[in-house]
């Protein structure tokens, strides 16, 4: 998404309400989720808690290390993972995940690896779009 800094150096982030509700539906379906980000931000932790995100890795300069930990924690294989990314740092996981997803503004190298590219932009409904797609395909979408 986007980061905004004020003159004091405080960081602000905007989150999509529909993405948040989608993550809550994901959680209600009994599924697990994670955030793996190179940045460190208290607001991301707060948002993750509000959206029932199972695990958060911040300051992950090498996302593949965090990914390996997630595989062990969640007891899943690459084939069972859906990963959404947008930049070069995401490529190692994009190459491994069973369902690799990009957003429209992703770097070309990331899009080239994607099994699916969302219609919605990152931070503007892309997560909700993906969650709906998966839950509907699994017949878990609420009536």
């Amino acid at each position: 998404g986007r980061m905004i800094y004020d003159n004091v150096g405080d960081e602000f982030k905007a989150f999509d309400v529909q993405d948040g509700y989608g993550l809550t539906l994901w959680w209600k379906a009994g599924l697990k989720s994670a955030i793996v980000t190179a940045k460190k931000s208290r607001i991301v932790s707060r948002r993750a808690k509000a959206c029932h995100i199972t695990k958060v890795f911040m300051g992950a300069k090498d996302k593949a290390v965090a990914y390996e930990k997630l595989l062990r924690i969640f007891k899943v294989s690459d084939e069972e993972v859906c990963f959404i990314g947008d930049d070069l740092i995401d490529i190692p996981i994009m190459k491994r995940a069973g369902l690799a997803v990009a957003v429209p503004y992703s770097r070309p190298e990331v899009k080239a690896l994607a099994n699916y590219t969302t219609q919605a932009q990152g931070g503007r409904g892309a997560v909700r779009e993906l969650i709906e797609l998966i839950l509907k395909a699994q017949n878990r979408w609420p009536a």
Side-chain angles (χ1 to χ4, degrees):
R2 296 168 24 119
M3 293 178 285
I4 302 167
Y5 295 95
D6 67 10
N7 287 330
V8 181
D10 289 331
E11 181 180 332
F12 299 89
K13 289 184 180 278
F15 299 98
D16 187 88
V17 174
Q18 290 187 7
D19 282 344
Y21 187 58
L23 285 160
T24 296
L25 293 173
W26 184 261
W27 171 74
K28 285 183 177 183
L31 300 166
K32 295 179 179 160
S33 59
I35 294 174
V36 179
T37 178
K39 296 269 304 159
K40 291 184 180 180
S41 173
R42 287 191 320 252
I43 195 67
V44 170
S45 293
R46 186 172 163 194
R47 178 67 171 169
K49 185 176 181 180
C51 295
H52 307 283
I53 293 172
T54 313
K55 187 72 178 157
V56 178
F57 285 96
M58 285 193 273
K61 302 297 183 201
D62 182 350
K63 289 189 177 185
V65 172
Y67 179 73
E68 286 294 335
K69 289 179 184 176
L70 281 171
L71 293 177
R72 287 192 302 276
I73 291 167
F74 290 170
K75 297 180 176 137
V76 295
S77 66
D78 289 328
E79 294 78 23
E80 297 172 285
V81 173
C82 172
F83 180 81
I84 188 167
D86 65 357
D87 213 334
L88 302 178
I89 194 171
D90 299 315
I91 287 176
I93 302 174
M94 297 282 292
K95 287 181 176 179
R96 293 183 55 184
L99 179 58
V101 179
V103 294
Y105 65 77
S106 297
R107 305 311 313 151
E109 298 89 344
V110 172
K111 279 184 164 180
L113 294 171
N115 303 110
Y116 179 78
T117 299
T118 62
Q119 295 297 308
Q121 294 290 344
R124 298 185 185 230
V127 169
R128 175 64 176 268
E129 177 184 332
L130 185 57
I131 287 170
E132 283 191 31
L133 181 85
I134 293 170
L135 292 181
K136 285 176 181 177
Q138 296 178 345
N139 292 317
R140 294 181 182 198
W141 185 248

